[in-house]
Amino acid sequence: MAGRDPEPARYYVGVDVGTGSVRAALVDQRGILLAFADQPINQWEPQFNHHEQSSEDIWAACCVVTKKVVQGIDLNQVRGLGFDATCSLVVLDKHFRPLPVNHEGDSRRNIIMWLDHRAVSQVHRINETKHSALQYVGGVMSVEMQAPKLLWLKENLRETCWDQAGHFFDLPDFLSWKATGVTARSLCSLVCKWTYSAEKGWDDSFWKMIGLEDFVADNYGKIGNQVLPPGAPLGNGLTPEAAKDLGLPAGIAVAASLIDAHAGGLGVIGTDVRGHGLACEGQPVTSRLAVICGTSSCHMGISRDPIFVPGVWGPYFSAMVPGFWLNEGGQSVTGKLIDHVVQGHAAFPELQAKAAARCQSVYAYLNSHLDLIKKAQPVGFLTVDLHVWPDFHGNRSPLADLTLKGMVTGLKLSQDLDDLAILYLATVQAIALGTRLIIEAMEAAGHSISTLFLCGGLSKNPLFVQMHADVTGMPVVLSQEVESVLVGAAILGACASGDFTSVQEAMASMSHVGKVVLPRREDKRYYDKKYQVFLKLVEHQKEYAAIMQGD
């Protein structure tokens, strides 16, 4: 009897809108990336701490990359589409046209970016209310969340923006609306950034107390009164207009979206680890911490029951993995800080020239240069008298203190390539030490973590990965597909298509171990000392502030 033809492959498209670019991937049912494309997007910084983007520019970039990744395939095999994006705030009028979020009145710039810190005064007032909703964001709301930004718009752009606004979207929800015409919001965005409760819905008293009672009167129509779990199918799928824009068939399933870091968490936290000798193999999935490290870093831990961690966001129910509570730690700048430190150094032009001559990235060159100068000692020991506190953009977790600044101690007069390499190393170590501080806060509150799962741009840097293993004393798992955020977005599309019965089933089928990086146990004492110094740095910074503010 003749054998049956193999079942045709099933494809899913994941679209990821990061801080500086839009990326798309074509992914199959095993989680293998078959095609990838990226496209830069514009950013504006009209004044310090004001960061803006354009929703039209971002959608156009989504169309470019999606068309690229499906070139040459049978489009009938594309089963679903998933979006993730930064948690930036998109403002549209009642006819879904862009509104300006700036004093210049430029309506193209209708997005307040996630890293925008204009609403410092507003978030301070919100935190002074001590409203019970704040216990779900670690006790202190971040300036990067949406409530302070909305309050800023009401107080500063009343006529040109606030009074004309018809829709305030988190960027991931804007994208799914653009694709389907459905204004339903994802539980992920609303729970994590807008104070929505998966169990109780909106809290009228919170919005009234902070001066945004307008939303209550409107039955939350402008910010979302239909809410769906991530991965749920939206409406009738892709509209004919969006299908034409994206180069995909009309009617394919489109999923309720995720914030970008949460898509990364989804892409790695359910990985099948059998056969790698990891402690977490015999432990529940709650023993895993997903660390998504790019421009900033996010630390995603899940639990069966709610755990309240001071200074760490959450617990958020079903915001990433259905049925689990999520805690989200974070560092406001990580990749951006490393770039800042390296590019601002006097030896940077020399580094650029030498890296270019070797056809290497500046970071690959720095890593090899560190190996050259370390001599017989472990590379991490080069920073024995150079220490960095990494909060150049304030502390998100676990101190939740916007006023903290960066610190470097141990500088010398020399400014050569060796100095640059060692300062780069100390900065990477400081970020890893910050991760250790977050893990300790989570464990003190009731989490039990044994293994780190890293993804995002910085996880491609072997020094960054090894330092996280050494400083935390935990093994680090890297995915087979380095673009885990895109795999996470594709998992959403796969769930919406109905090809998997649950998000958990899709995670297990589409996430695979690529490499395990173990900590160097023999260096533990050194990093314990570095951690002691790290904690002293912030203690001293607070003492300096107290001295300067005293009589």
Side-chain angles (χ1 to χ4, degrees):
M1 191 173 116
R4 285 186 183 174
D5 287 337
E7 192 179 319
R10 295 175 172 191
Y11 301 137
Y12 313 99
V13 174
V15 178
D16 163 49
V17 179
T19 302
S21 66
V22 176
R23 300 155 350 116
L26 183 72
V27 179
D28 70 12
Q29 68 266 44
R30 297 163 301 155
I32 308 297
L33 251 76
L34 305 172
F36 169 86
D38 63 348
Q39 177 82 2
I41 47 179
N42 291 311
Q43 295 179 51
W44 290 269
E45 190 178 355
Q47 61 193 83
F48 181 64
N49 272 339
H50 287 231
H51 297 268
E52 297 166 6
Q53 286 181 316
S54 157
S55 63
E56 290 182 348
D57 175 52
I58 287 172
W59 180 252
C62 290
C63 298
V64 169
V65 291
T66 304
K67 281 175 177 166
K68 280 184 183 172
V69 298
V70 296
Q71 271 177 354
I73 65 154
D74 178 356
L75 291 176
N76 293 318
Q77 290 173 257
V78 179
R79 304 268 303 154
L81 170 64
F83 291 99
D84 74 76
T86 62
C87 46
S88 299
L89 177 66
V90 184
V91 187
L92 304 176
D93 70 11
K94 294 168 182 68
H95 304 287
F96 296 96
R97 294 175 304 210
L99 283 171
V101 295
N102 47 74
H103 291 294
E104 294 82 8
D106 182 353
S107 60
R108 275 182 318 148
R109 290 154 39 202
N110 68 317
I111 296 178
I112 299 181
M113 289 180 70
W114 66 270
L115 51 67
D116 185 288
H117 280 196
R118 70 182 68 182
V120 171
S121 140
Q122 287 75 15
V123 81
H124 181 65
R125 279 180 274 140
I126 290 169
N127 285 325
E128 280 185 331
T129 67
K130 300 275 193 280
H131 191 280
S132 59
L134 300 178
Q135 69 179 324
Y136 286 90
V137 292
V140 182
M141 182 169 281
S142 164
V143 71
E144 292 171 8
M145 291 184 174
Q146 306 301 16
K149 291 172 179 170
L150 291 162
L151 190 55
W152 186 93
L153 288 172
K154 182 176 180 178
E155 292 176 352
N156 290 274
L157 298 176
R158 186 81 192 227
E159 290 178 13
T160 55
C161 179
W162 185 260
D163 288 344
Q164 296 183 48
H167 307 274
F168 298 98
F169 283 106
D170 221 83
L171 182 53
D173 290 326
F174 165 81
L175 296 170
S176 57
W177 162 73
K178 195 78 176 157
T180 62
V182 175
T183 59
R185 306 306 206 269
S186 166
L187 190 65
C188 174
S189 300
L190 289 198
V191 167
C192 296
K193 305 299 171 188
W194 297 70
T195 72
Y196 185 84
S197 163
E199 300 165 300
K200 300 173 189 168
W202 294 112
D203 185 331
D204 294 355
S205 67
F206 171 74
W207 296 100
K208 288 174 181 173
M209 188 177 277
I210 68 167
L212 291 176
E213 60 286 337
D214 326 40
F215 293 139
V216 182
D218 179 44
N219 191 30
Y220 302 98
K222 290 181 181 177
I223 60 173
N225 48 24
Q226 186 191 354
V227 187
L228 293 170
L234 288 165
N236 298 315
L238 201 58
T239 64
E241 184 186 358
K244 189 178 169 196
D245 286 349
L246 294 164
L248 292 170
I252 65 164
V254 179
S257 57
L258 278 172
I259 298 166
D260 55 350
H262 301 64
L266 198 70
V268 297
I269 207 163
T271 301
D272 182 351
V273 296
R274 285 175 297 184
H276 291 273
L278 289 162
C280 67
E281 182 181 333
Q283 296 169 341
V285 70
T286 52
S287 67
R288 305 175 179 196
L289 185 75
V291 185
I292 300 88
C293 25
T295 306
S296 64
S297 289
C298 297
H299 304 70
M300 307 290 196
I302 58 176
S303 56
R304 281 286 181 194
D305 298 305
I307 298 175
F308 292 86
V309 187
V312 171
W313 298 342
Y316 302 135
F317 186 64
S318 283
M320 186 173 80
V321 181
F324 286 86
W325 292 84
L326 170 71
N327 282 107
E328 180 187 347
Q331 293 161 294
S332 283
V333 287
T334 46
K336 192 176 173 74
L337 174 62
I338 295 168
D339 289 344
H340 173 80
V341 166
V342 170
Q343 292 169 13
H345 195 279
F348 181 62
E350 180 192 349
L351 168 64
Q352 271 186 308
K354 287 186 168 174
R358 275 203 209 163
C359 299
Q360 282 184 310
S361 75
V362 290
Y363 296 115
Y365 188 92
L366 282 172
N367 292 350
S368 59
H369 191 76
L370 285 166
D371 281 334
L372 201 67
I373 62 177
K374 73 181 174 71
K375 301 190 171 67
Q377 63 183 340
V379 71
F381 289 29
L382 286 166
T383 59
V384 66
D385 54 3
L386 183 68
H387 309 284
V388 173
W389 178 264
D391 289 332
F392 285 52
H393 199 50
N395 183 282
R396 188 189 295 172
S397 305
L399 306 178
D401 187 345
L402 256 183
T403 68
L404 289 176
K405 308 289 190 294
M407 300 169 77
V408 183
T409 174
L411 296 172
K412 299 181 294 188
L413 275 176
S414 59
Q415 288 188 306
D416 60 14
L417 199 51
D418 288 5
D419 284 294
L420 169 50
I422 294 168
L423 182 60
Y424 154 71
L425 171 63
T427 305
V428 169
Q429 288 174 335
I431 292 165
L433 290 160
T435 291
R436 177 167 167 175
L437 184 61
I438 290 166
I439 291 169
E440 288 192 359
M442 292 176 75
E443 294 202 309
H447 281 275
S448 179
I449 295 160
S450 67
T451 313
L452 305 184
F453 288 71
L454 257 62
C455 68
L458 290 175
S459 71
K460 299 171 192 173
N461 182 334
L463 180 80
F464 186 90
V465 175
Q466 188 65 57
M467 286 301 128
H468 273 72
D470 292 348
V471 166
T472 63
M474 293 182 187
V476 173
V477 177
L478 299 174
S479 290
Q480 185 177 311
E481 289 294 350
V482 292
E483 301 294 351
S484 302
V485 176
L486 283 165
V487 172
I491 285 172
L492 294 175
C495 292
S497 74
D499 288 348
F500 293 95
T501 56
S502 67
V503 170
Q504 283 93 329
E505 185 194 352
M507 286 194 309
S509 300
M510 296 175 71
S511 311
H512 311 283
V513 175
K515 185 180 181 185
V516 175
V517 177
L518 299 173
R520 290 170 51 96
R521 301 284 180 201
E522 62 273 26
D523 299 346
K524 180 182 184 302
R525 190 156 174 270
Y526 174 78
Y527 289 111
D528 286 347
K529 288 179 181 176
K530 286 283 291 184
Y531 187 57
Q532 279 182 277
V533 174
F534 184 75
L535 297 178
K536 283 285 183 197
L537 285 172
V538 70
E539 189 184 315
H540 291 166
Q541 182 176 157
K542 289 177 177 178
E543 285 175 15
Y544 305 156
I547 291 167
M548 296 308 294
Q549 288 159 13
D551 294 334

